[in-house]
Amino acid sequence: MAKAVALAVLLVAVAAALLAVAPAPARAVCNMSNDEFMKCQPAAAATSNPTTNPSADCCSALSHADLNCLCSYKNSPWLSIYNIDPNRAMQLPAKCGLTMPANC
């Protein structure tokens, strides 16, 4: 168990280091920057009382995001690192008036 935790910490440290030196476009995931993801975090938080609706900034970020790409992360363990509830996250596009891909 200790080796697994150490490996996870190492992977996060390497990812953080790569992000710190990468140019801005390389930081985008599914056409969203880290800042844009964080604008949606309050509405998708894995807490007992997230905000009810996504902010206008969140909806703006989602409007140019690659929703098929985002769907591929819905079962990712990385969501818990950012305190994201995958079920709440998958509801955000509809709350922003966007259509989710049929296979999501």
Side-chain angles (χ1 to χ4, degrees), residues 4-22:
V5 171
L7 179 59
V9 169
L10 176 63
L11 289 174
V12 170
V14 169
L18 289 173
L19 289 175
V21 297

Side-chain angles (χ1 to χ4, degrees), residues 22-61:
R27 294 182 190 177
V29 174
C30 302
N31 295 334
M32 289 181 70
S33 69
N34 188 53
D35 288 341
E36 290 172 319
F37 276 111
M38 295 314 293
K39 291 178 190 305
C40 293
Q41 197 277 342
T47 62
S48 59
N49 61 351
T51 59
T52 305
N53 293 310
S55 67
D57 287 339
C58 172
C59 290
S60 176

Side-chain angles (χ1 to χ4, degrees), residues 32-103:
M32 289 181 70
S33 69
N34 188 53
D35 288 341
E36 290 172 319
F37 276 111
M38 295 314 293
K39 291 178 190 305
C40 293
Q41 197 277 342
T47 62
S48 59
N49 61 351
T51 59
T52 305
N53 293 310
S55 67
D57 287 339
C58 172
C59 290
S60 176
L62 286 174
S63 72
H64 64 76
D66 180 342
L67 297 179
N68 280 315
C69 176
L70 289 175
C71 285
S72 70
Y73 286 93
K74 69 181 176 184
N75 296 316
S76 172
W78 288 101
L79 294 178
S80 64
I81 292 172
Y82 291 101
N83 192 36
I84 300 292
D85 179 304
N87 293 322
R88 289 180 178 144
M90 291 298 116
Q91 294 172 13
L92 294 181
K95 290 181 176 184
C96 291
L98 303 170
T99 303
M100 286 296 286
N103 62 344

